[in-house]
Amino acid sequence: MNRVALVTGLSGQDGSYLAEFLLERDYDVHGLVPYGRRELCDPRCQLHYGDLTDASRIAAVFNDVSPDEVYNLGAQSHVRVSFDLPVHTADVTGVGALRVLEAMRQHRDASGRSPRFYQASSSEMFGNAVSPQDESTPFHPLSPYACAKVFAYWQTVNYRDAYELFASNGILFNHESPRRGEHFVTRKITRAAARIKLGLQDRLALGNLEARRDWGFAGDYVEAMWLMLQHDEADDFVIATGQTHSVRDFLEEVFGHLDLDYNDFVEIDPQFFRPIEVDALRGNSEKARRILGWEPRVSFSELARLMTEHDLEEARAEAQGLTSETPN
Ligand code: GDD
């Protein structure tokens, strides 16, 4: 019989890569998806409308699906937006994980087993801790989003310790792809650069160009999620490339690839700054390499190139009138 996975946030970047990864391994993949959000959902997945604020719906979906593995990827995941929507972010991103854990605790399959649980924890939890950050680095969250993720992290650990559930945290550093939402900085840059190249846009407004992030490829990172749930024991793992680059480096890489100078197009707009910033993240994922055998495959330059090439194709289609994209 096929294994059954339930993925919250299936319609997001990570959900879509994870669904493909699981489908290739003959899983039946189910998604908990807010009503109307099916853009990135693979048609081979079975969708269940619902969201992380609704405990009774989550329980009902568990009963319908009886999953072997649960991946909690759903969240209000934009850090700057979380300063505008702190309570909503705490509810979805923090208490939402707890609602899924409660459904897990209540749910048993025919042989009395609970599913295995993956929590999408975040490198934002480290705040400005000295880098490289690893599993032993203390958390110091610097946004409502990061506070909510710390809450969810510890609930996951607590459910593991208190109820002996198989519940693991993947502490993922930034991971990007052509499917990244257009309000995150990498995709915002690659879309704008491609549109500028084709004369569809002439300015790009950004915030802090000096922030440094450890950027990997989302397609590589979903494999780590899966490996965590195949391991003998539940545990917590940092997933990162170990390299750090500034937003400015990413601009140089992308615009350079298109033979453009970003200085001619970028303007700084205060609305994109955050009330407090995480200055620099760089992860040490040695534990995941050693225990799970996981390694990132796509380098920073390759990532920038593949996202730019994808967005150039999209911009070409737009220029030919095949789509009607608007700049963000
Ligand atoms: N979004 C955005 N837009 N960020 C900008 C901009 C802009 O116009 N200009 C500069 N930045 C800077 C931000 O201040 C931040 O330092 C950096 O670019 C990256 O911002 P995001 O791409 O929004 O990602 P993030 O690092 O805040 O959070 C992402 O990664 C986390 C993992 O560390 C999100 O995916 C989180 O959900 C995830 O947990």
Side-chain angles (χ1 to χ4, degrees):
M1 253 193 9
N2 289 354
R3 279 185 289 174
V4 177
L6 174 62
V7 181
T8 75
L10 187 84
S11 56
Q13 166 189 263
D14 293 5
S16 75
Y17 281 108
L18 180 63
E20 281 170 13
F21 183 93
L22 295 172
L23 288 162
E24 279 165 22
R25 284 158 186 79
D26 290 330
Y27 278 74
D28 291 339
V29 181
H30 295 255
L32 183 76
V33 184
Y35 183 74
R37 287 279 308 279
R38 51 189 314 156
E39 315 88 65
L40 293 177
C41 295
D42 191 299
R44 293 169 292 173
C45 298
Q46 296 182 50
L47 303 188
H48 304 263
Y49 293 118
D51 68 64
L52 291 170
T53 62
D54 187 342
S56 61
R57 180 66 183 143
I58 296 169
V61 172
F62 265 73
N63 283 335
D64 281 358
V65 170
S66 210
D68 300 302
E69 296 175 11
V70 177
Y71 296 85
N72 185 41
L73 312 184
Q76 190 302 97
S77 67
H78 200 290
V79 174
R80 193 188 57 74
V81 169
S82 78
F83 287 98
D84 299 332
L85 301 175
V87 176
H88 172 72
T89 303
D91 192 18
V92 176
T93 307
V95 184
L98 179 56
R99 292 186 184 102
V100 179
L101 283 161
E102 256 308 282
M104 289 247 312
R105 187 168 75 85
Q106 313 274 348
H107 185 82
R108 295 270 185 275
D109 67 11
S111 50
R113 272 189 320 241
S114 296
R116 295 186 166 203
F117 177 78
Y118 171 85
Q119 168 59 18
S121 285
S122 164
S123 53
E124 279 292 302
M125 301 189 304
F126 295 124
N128 278 327
V130 174
S131 64
Q133 296 93 7
D134 66 17
E135 293 81 3
S136 62
T137 304
F139 300 141
H140 188 147
L142 293 178
S143 64
Y145 167 80
C147 291
K149 283 289 185 186
V150 170
F151 174 86
Y153 171 95
W154 282 116
Q155 292 291 357
T156 302
V157 173
N158 186 242
Y159 271 62
R160 179 167 79 215
D161 294 344
Y163 306 118
E164 294 178 8
L165 292 178
F166 191 110
S168 295
N169 283 290
I171 307 174
L172 270 53
F173 283 62
N174 296 51
H175 44 286
E176 318 293 312
S177 76
R179 301 181 197 171
R180 185 59 142 150
E182 60 198 46
H183 297 292
F184 295 92
V185 79
T186 54
R187 187 78 199 290
K188 184 172 170 181
I189 290 171
T190 56
R191 282 188 85 232
R195 297 182 85 251
I196 287 170
K197 180 73 179 174
L198 297 191
L200 296 165
Q201 179 175 339
D202 53 13
R203 311 299 301 160
L204 168 59
L206 291 171
N208 178 13
L209 305 190
E210 309 315 327
R212 301 182 72 84
R213 291 290 182 273
D214 179 330
W215 276 297
F217 173 54
D220 289 347
Y221 285 35
V222 298
E223 183 188 10
M225 300 175 186
W226 179 76
L227 286 170
M228 282 178 222
L229 297 202
Q230 312 317 305
H231 188 53
D232 308 338
E233 293 170 16
D235 202 345
D236 308 314
F237 294 91
V238 159
I239 301 298
T241 69
Q243 310 283 319
T244 186
H245 296 273
S246 65
V247 174
R248 194 182 290 284
D249 294 339
F250 194 79
L251 277 169
E252 271 169 12
E253 196 76 36
V254 170
F255 279 76
H257 183 62
L258 298 172
D259 296 320
L260 297 171
D261 181 348
Y262 75 89
N263 290 297
D264 296 336
F265 308 100
V266 170
E267 59 194 26
I268 302 302
D269 184 334
Q271 71 163 305
F272 297 114
F273 283 81
R274 292 146 190 211
I276 185 166
E277 175 71 292
V278 172
D279 297 322
L281 290 172
R282 180 163 74 88
N284 174 358
S285 56
E286 197 277 325
K287 179 177 171 185
R289 281 170 210 248
R290 185 166 35 85
I291 296 180
L292 303 176
W294 178 84
E295 298 226 7
R297 296 191 185 90
V298 177
S299 71
F300 176 74
S301 304
E302 285 163 349
L303 177 65
R305 190 165 351 107
L306 74 88
M307 290 177 69
T308 307
E309 286 298 326
H310 173 274
D311 283 341
L312 206 49
E313 279 306 305
E314 277 203 358
R316 285 196 188 106
E318 186 188 349
Q320 290 164 9
L322 300 176
T323 59
S324 56
E325 299 287 332
T326 48
N328 62 43

